[in-house]
């Protein structure tokens, strides 16, 4: 809780005020804190003006219309999201890396605590083939959706999304268990898919 309050004061109060009132990001023309996106007239950004009939980005229309502007806190949160993901990986790697690796290696030999023994006495263990079968079924359903529906997402990008989720589940899960703070992947995944498949907003949303 103390760390959360520190972050609130440093970034949401002090840093935001400095950036907004110095007009670095044209903050004088937009609200200090808002989740909307704006055009160069200060109006709400009209996304339909920069899309083709196939819902892909028309770069010429974008250049003719306007760059996209964000409120100070919204733009700052994007930067903090990238910093947060890097911090999660760094912290878990430095402070818990050896423990994670040791538990992976000894997962089958580790002595069972009282909770595991109580569970085993009351419930049958689910076989590994059941988890494998469910994984295959749901991955196949995902591939089917990618191929059938006009999501603009390629199959290889779909598998990269699965790999990213698998990679981050342990570090993000550990931070959530320790601090009760959930770190989202939405910002970094938007960045990744925009680089892999530029100009395809439907793919970004599906990714």
């Amino acid at each position: 809780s103390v760390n959360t309050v520190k972050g609130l004061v440093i970034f949401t109060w002090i840093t935001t005020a400095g950036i907004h009132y110095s007009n670095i990001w044209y903050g004088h023309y937009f609200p200090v804190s808002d989740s909307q996106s704006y055009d160069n007239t200060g109006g709400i950004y009209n996304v339909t003006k920069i899309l083709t009939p196939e819902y892909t980005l028309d770069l010429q229309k974008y250049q003719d219309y306007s760059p996209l502007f964000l409120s100070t806190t919204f733009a700052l949160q994007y930067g903090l999201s990238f910093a947060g993901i890097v911090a999660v990986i760094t912290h878990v790697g430095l402070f818990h890396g050896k423990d994670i690796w040791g538990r992976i290696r000894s997962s089958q030999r580790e002595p069972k605590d009282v909770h595991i023994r109580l569970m085993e006495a009351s419930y049958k263990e689910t076989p590994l083939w059941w988890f494998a079968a469910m994984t295959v079924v749901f991955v196949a359903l995902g591939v089917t959706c990618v191929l059938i529906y006009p999501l603009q997402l390629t199959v290889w990008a779909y598998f990269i999304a699965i790999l990213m989720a698998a990679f981050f589940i342990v570090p993000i899960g550990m931070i959530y268990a320790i601090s009760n703070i959930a770190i989202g992947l939405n910002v970094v995944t938007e960045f990744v898919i925009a680089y892999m498949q530029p100009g395809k907003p439907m793919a970004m949303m599906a990714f």
Side-chain angles (χ1 to χ4, degrees), residues 6-158:
K6 286 180 182 178
L8 175 69
V9 172
I10 293 172
F11 293 105
T12 306
W13 293 0
I14 299 174
T15 306
T16 296
I19 293 174
H20 184 77
Y21 291 106
S22 63
N23 202 33
I24 292 176
W25 296 335
Y26 306 99
H28 292 174
Y29 300 96
F30 311 110
V32 63
S33 182
D34 193 359
S35 60
Q36 295 283 0
S37 52
Y38 297 91
D39 60 24
N40 53 15
T41 67
I44 302 299
Y45 201 90
N46 188 351
V47 179
T48 60
K49 288 186 176 182
I50 63 173
L51 295 178
T52 66
E54 293 77 28
Y55 296 101
T56 58
L57 174 67
D58 189 317
L59 188 57
Q60 186 59 52
K61 288 183 179 180
Y62 173 79
Q63 293 171 345
D64 293 340
Y65 175 39
S66 168
L68 188 144
F69 297 90
L70 303 175
S71 69
T72 304
T73 56
F74 199 11
L76 187 61
Q77 290 307 312
Y78 267 84
L80 292 175
S81 293
F82 285 110
I85 288 296
V86 174
V88 165
I89 297 173
T90 304
H91 176 85
V92 171
L94 291 177
F95 292 94
H96 305 286
K98 289 184 178 179
D99 187 43
I100 293 172
W101 179 244
R103 289 183 179 275
I104 291 174
R105 295 181 61 185
S106 63
S107 60
Q108 300 300 321
R109 305 188 305 273
E110 191 171 351
K112 299 176 181 179
D113 61 21
V114 62
H115 304 289
I116 295 178
R117 292 197 297 270
L118 287 172
M119 290 292 292
E120 289 181 343
S122 303
Y123 305 99
K124 293 182 179 180
E125 184 175 358
T126 304
L128 290 177
W129 67 261
W130 191 90
F131 294 102
M134 290 298 99
T135 301
V136 171
V137 168
F138 287 110
V139 168
L141 287 174
V143 172
T144 302
C145 290
V146 168
L147 294 175
I148 292 178
Y149 293 100
L151 298 176
Q152 302 174 348
L153 187 70
T154 58
V155 174
W156 60 266
Y158 167 71

